[in-house]
Amino acid sequence: MPMAKDQLAGDCERLDILVRKEPSHKRHNSKYRYDQLVHETRDLSQTLVRYRNRRDQRVREEEERNELLNRQFTANSNEDTILALDGAISFNEKASASNQGIDAMLDTGHSVLRTLREQRSTLTSIKGRMSSLISTLGLSKTVMKLVERRSAHDQYLFYIGCIVTLLVMFILLYFM
């Protein structure tokens, strides 16, 4: 086929030379027919290329189809399907243990907080009784104010200690 294409191209070149040698009154008509012939030649050439491409594609598809139909499929070996889950299982167990430890710490914290509330109410009632007892005994008001001031300082120290403890626990939890 390539030789026929080359021969056709050569014939078109010779035809172009002959059209130019035509007398001027026939040249316009001959040039028009020559241009039509060249256009049809190009169209046929492109159609031939598209046809060959489609044919080649069909042949490739047929070969692939036959290859797939003739292939022998086997079961996967155990080595191919083993999943590396040991690390994930270990991590899950450690995370579960950590979760249980945190739950235990939260429960302990709740019980400590409940106990502190009970102690607060008890101490408040004791403070009231002590105030009435001291006033009955006749201690001066300045001593009472000193005791109350000392109690307020102790309360501030307690809150500062709680905040520092919470910060230390947060830092340890965050960085570990």
Side-chain angles (χ1 to χ4, degrees):
M1 276 305 218
M3 285 203 275
K5 191 175 179 183
D6 293 339
Q7 183 181 1
L8 188 59
D11 288 345
C12 283
E13 287 176 14
R14 277 194 301 263
L15 191 58
D16 184 36
I17 293 170
L18 290 175
V19 165
R20 291 182 190 185
K21 290 183 180 179
E22 284 285 318
S24 63
H25 65 282
K26 290 184 178 180
R27 189 177 307 152
H28 179 61
N29 191 19
S30 297
K31 179 70 173 160
Y32 177 73
R33 281 194 253 149
Y34 168 75
D35 287 340
Q36 280 183 333
L37 181 65
V38 168
H39 180 71
E40 287 177 7
T41 303
R42 286 182 188 150
D43 282 347
L44 286 174
S45 175
Q46 290 173 355
T47 303
L48 181 64
V49 167
R50 282 194 302 263
Y51 171 75
R52 285 180 180 165
N53 288 340
R54 275 188 270 143
R55 184 189 65 195
D56 292 344
Q57 183 179 359
R58 271 190 252 127
V59 168
R60 275 193 309 271
E61 288 173 355
E62 185 66 30
E63 289 172 357
E64 289 174 0
R65 189 177 305 116
N66 287 335
E67 180 184 336
L68 284 174
L69 290 174
N70 294 330
R71 181 182 292 173
Q72 295 294 324
F73 290 99
T74 59
N76 292 337
S77 66
N78 287 340
E79 296 170 3
D80 294 339
T81 56
I82 292 176
L83 300 175
L85 293 178
D86 293 338
I89 291 172
S90 174
F91 175 77
N92 190 23
E93 289 172 354
K94 289 178 183 178
S96 178
S98 297
N99 191 20
Q100 290 173 355
I102 290 172
D103 287 342
M105 286 191 332
L106 286 174
D107 289 339
T108 304
H110 285 294
S111 66
V112 166
L113 191 59
R114 190 178 321 109
T115 306
L116 286 174
R117 286 182 186 151
E118 291 171 1
Q119 288 176 0
R120 178 179 177 231
S121 64
T122 304
L123 288 175
T124 304
S125 66
I126 290 174
K127 179 184 173 187
R129 287 183 199 158
M130 289 295 285
S131 295
S132 65
L133 182 66
I134 289 175
S135 66
T136 322
L137 291 175
L139 289 176
S140 70
K141 290 195 175 215
T142 55
V143 173
M144 301 241 329
K145 285 184 181 180
L146 285 173
V147 170
E148 287 177 0
R149 199 176 303 148
R150 175 62 187 233
S151 156
H153 287 299
D154 289 345
Q155 189 176 12
Y156 292 138
L157 285 175
F158 172 75
Y159 288 133
I160 290 171
C162 287
I163 290 172
V164 168
T165 303
L166 287 175
L167 285 174
V168 168
M169 287 174 47
F170 175 73
I171 289 171
L172 288 176
L173 184 67
Y174 183 74
F175 289 109
M176 291 186 155

